[in-house]
Amino acid sequence: MGALLAVLLSGMVWFAALPGFEQIFAGAPPENLGITSGQLAPCPDTPNCVNSQISGDSIHAIEPLHYQGDLANARDLLTEILGVVPGTTIVQSQDNYIRAEAHSRLMGFVDDLEFYFPGDRPVIEVRCASRLGESDLGVNRRRLEQIRLALADLEQGN
């Protein structure tokens, strides 16, 4: 069984090295990304999305990121963190909103990350969703929790 799995995975690695392969699983950005009336887009029914503006839904709900100090500093720290998250690129940046894309290393799947700074309280509302597929095996939730920890660490160092 282990030998069969090794052969299958080596074939996938070879196939993944083909030119343009990474675009097969990238998908297109959803049209509903961004802020509408102070809200990030709701999650689809699939479990591969988390959103801090959802309550009462244990599959999709996640706490917003909390920060100390002013919004501009929190935004700078978040930008710094996203700059070192593997496979992640900021694609849109405004005063109160950052959108990034995270590309998986092997197959090129793309997750959309959104960060909204409402400005009326020291939180960053977050949404992270896979473009394709049903399950992400908890990757989006773990990614945001790692970003939460990195933000707290950087704030303590400042």
Side-chain angles (χ1 to χ4, degrees):
M1 179 69 166
L4 177 61
L5 183 59
V7 169
L8 288 174
L9 288 176
S10 67
M12 286 175 49
V13 170
W14 174 84
F15 189 65
L18 293 174
F21 176 78
E22 63 276 356
Q23 297 303 315
I24 292 173
F25 296 113
E31 293 181 15
N32 65 344
L33 297 179
I35 306 162
T36 304
S37 300
Q39 296 291 308
L40 297 169
C43 284
D45 290 336
T46 56
N48 59 6
C49 174
V50 291
N51 185 327
S52 64
Q53 293 180 315
I54 294 175
S55 61
D57 178 351
S58 63
I59 293 171
H60 298 108
I62 191 169
E63 282 290 314
L65 306 178
H66 297 270
Y67 63 87
Q68 301 168 5
D70 65 8
L71 186 150
N73 185 55
R75 192 178 178 293
D76 290 345
L77 291 175
L78 180 60
T79 299
E80 181 180 336
I81 292 165
L82 292 174
V84 297
V85 175
T88 301
T89 305
I90 295 175
V91 295
Q92 185 179 357
S93 182
Q94 300 169 340
D95 289 341
N96 67 342
Y97 177 77
I98 296 174
R99 185 171 78 82
E101 294 176 351
H103 297 255
S104 69
R105 204 172 337 164
L106 181 61
M107 301 294 285
F109 286 102
V110 177
D111 298 333
D112 293 293
L113 292 81
E114 296 184 278
F115 302 90
Y116 167 49
F117 301 79
D120 61 346
R121 58 201 198 299
V123 299
I124 306 168
E125 299 291 355
V126 296
R127 180 183 186 272
C128 190
S130 302
R131 290 183 183 171
L132 301 175
E134 177 79 18
S135 174
D136 67 347
L137 303 174
V139 168
N140 288 319
R141 182 176 299 279
R142 282 192 305 275
R143 180 186 295 119
L144 288 175
E145 292 302 341
Q146 289 170 344
I147 290 170
R148 180 189 317 281
L149 291 172
L151 181 62
D153 284 348
L154 284 177
E155 283 189 322
Q156 288 178 359
N158 283 345

